[in-house]
């Protein structure tokens, strides 16, 4: 039986709104993600996708309900949970290899061992040759590669990805979608990836969870069984893309 890695039980989240009102963002969300599963949470803009990521990452606490990762209740940030953001914030004064190795260095890992692990992940994300480059010299896609390598370098069992390709141009976005599947296949992790892009969801996911508008609840989910690597223009891909798109349209 597969092991449940991320479990959200009846989580709701409200924020204080204008004039003393309450803004209900997430409403009674329950989901369970198995070890090494690649789940995409698909929802419209401003529906609370980042809020959901923050709750699972332990950066925010739910108003009600609870989150566990690998069976442990989440009450604060946890090194076993890696996060890749829409815009990766890198230390501008550190080289690619120092950015990637920052976590292991903070943990006090010995230099030789650290060097090996850092090189392994730099190679895995396709940045071989850029070890000594500084972030200012990197393109948007390369920065996201650094963000992915940095997250992997801490060896988390869970990776949360918050629209990591949202700011990239279309061509680079396609390339990074292929890359993230390749990286996941080479080094399996439990991934929860959020996006508002239906095509991206169908390309990446083992399973797509569709969210509604605020107050956000789960509308439906789809198992994606198309073989990988997926073909964006195959008949099956386009047909599923339409079905998922229709379900998202109905939430508006
Ligand atoms: N700390 C906060 N305080 C008050 N309101 C917040 C807070 N965080 C999020 N919100 C509100 O919650 C709603 C959902 O925000 P969130 O950023 O989670 O959505 P999203 O789906 O990630 O949006 P986007 O598509 O822009 O990435 C928004 O209306 C936002 O203003
Ligand atoms: Mg967001």
């Amino acid at each position: 039986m597969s092991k449940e890695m991320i479990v959200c039980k009846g989580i709701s989240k409200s924020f204080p709104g204008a004039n003393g009102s309450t803004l209900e963002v997430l409403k009674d969300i329950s989901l369970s993600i198995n070890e090494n599963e690649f789940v995409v949470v698909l929802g419209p803009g401003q529906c609370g996708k980042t809020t959901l990521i923050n709750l699972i990452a332990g950066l925010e606490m739910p108003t009600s309900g609870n989150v566990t990762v690998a069976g442990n209740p989440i009450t604060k940030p946890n090194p076993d949970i890696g996060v890749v953001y829409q815009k990766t914030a890198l230390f501008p004064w550190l080289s690619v290899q120092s950015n990637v190795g920052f976590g292991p260095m903070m943990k006090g890992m010995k230099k030789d061992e650290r060097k090996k692990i850092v090189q392994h992940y730099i190679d895995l994300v396709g940045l071989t040759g850029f070890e000594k480059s500084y972030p200012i010299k990197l393109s948007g896609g390369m920065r996201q590669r650094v963000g992915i390598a940095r997250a992997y370098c801490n060896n988390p069992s869970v990776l949360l990805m918050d629209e990591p390709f949202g700011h990239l141009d279309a061509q680079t976005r396609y390339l990074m979608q292929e890359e993230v599947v390749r990286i996941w296949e080479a080094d399996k992790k439990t991934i929860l990836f959020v996006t508002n892009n239906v095509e991206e969801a169908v390309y990446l996911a083992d399973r797509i969870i569709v969210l509604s508008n605020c107050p956000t609840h789960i509308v439906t989910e789809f198992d994606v069984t198309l073989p990988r690597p997926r073909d964006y223009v195959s008949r099956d891909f386009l047909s599923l893309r339409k079905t998922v798109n229709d379900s998202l349209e109905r939430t508006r």
Side-chain angles (χ1 to χ4, degrees):
M1 227 189 80
S2 5
K3 181 174 152 196
E4 287 183 316
M5 278 304 284
I6 304 176
V7 179
C8 297
K9 275 204 187 125
I11 53 171
S12 297
K13 179 69 180 174
S14 301
F15 292 107
N19 307 322
S21 64
T22 301
L23 176 66
E24 194 178 19
V25 177
L26 300 180
K27 190 174 179 161
D28 195 20
I29 295 205
S30 292
L31 55 84
S32 163
I33 300 178
N34 287 330
E35 186 170 29
N36 296 342
E37 200 181 6
F38 197 136
V39 170
V40 173
V41 170
L42 175 70
Q46 289 288 295
C47 77
K49 301 180 294 300
T50 297
T51 302
L52 180 64
I53 294 256
N54 288 344
L55 292 174
I56 298 171
L59 298 167
E60 300 252 24
M61 289 303 289
T63 312
S64 59
N66 61 72
V67 180
T68 59
V69 170
N72 302 310
I74 296 301
T75 52
K76 57 178 180 357
N78 178 332
D80 203 28
I81 305 171
V83 189
V84 180
Y85 297 96
Q86 190 167 17
K87 269 199 167 165
T88 293
L90 299 172
F91 297 119
W93 61 89
L94 293 181
S95 65
V96 165
Q97 61 189 9
S98 301
N99 268 286
V100 172
F102 192 78
M105 188 191 73
M106 292 305 282
K107 275 195 278 185
M109 187 186 283
K110 289 213 179 72
K111 201 173 169 193
D112 283 356
E113 192 186 350
R114 197 169 78 220
K115 230 177 138 186
K116 250 192 355 223
I117 291 177
V118 166
Q119 193 61 49
H120 172 78
Y121 287 112
I122 286 181
D123 294 344
L124 183 68
V125 302
L127 284 177
T128 314
F130 292 92
E131 294 81 356
K132 306 238 181 292
S133 301
Y134 284 86
I136 193 143
K137 300 269 184 201
L138 304 179
S139 67
M142 288 162 90
R143 282 179 204 203
Q144 291 310 81
R145 287 176 196 263
V146 177
I148 294 169
R150 184 175 59 184
Y152 263 81
C153 218
N154 292 314
N155 197 24
S157 33
V158 164
L159 206 55
L160 307 174
M161 304 184 92
D162 187 3
E163 302 200 58
F165 310 143
H167 278 309
L168 304 178
D169 63 86
Q171 256 350 85
T172 311
R173 189 169 186 156
Y174 282 127
L175 183 65
M176 290 305 291
Q177 288 167 4
E178 287 168 25
E179 287 288 276
V180 86
V181 170
R182 180 185 62 75
I183 294 165
W184 171 73
E185 284 178 329
D187 190 344
K188 282 276 169 90
K189 303 263 177 222
T190 308
I191 296 188
L192 188 157
F193 184 112
V194 309
T195 184
N196 58 16
N197 183 301
V198 176
E199 186 186 43
E200 181 164 85
V202 175
Y203 186 81
L204 297 175
D206 288 329
R207 184 155 58 99
I208 301 173
I209 297 177
V210 181
L211 299 181
S212 70
N213 266 323
C214 264
T216 300
H217 54 274
I218 295 176
V219 177
T220 184
E221 56 176 74
F222 298 90
D223 283 321
V224 188
T225 54
L226 301 173
R228 293 186 173 98
R230 293 180 181 155
D231 176 356
Y232 292 97
V233 291
S234 73
R235 192 189 301 178
D236 290 346
F237 189 99
L238 292 171
S239 152
L240 182 59
R241 183 177 162 183
K242 174 155 182 19
T243 310
V244 175
N245 196 57
D246 289 348
S247 79
L248 192 64
E249 286 292 322
R250 280 198 298 276
T251 73
R252 287 179 211 277

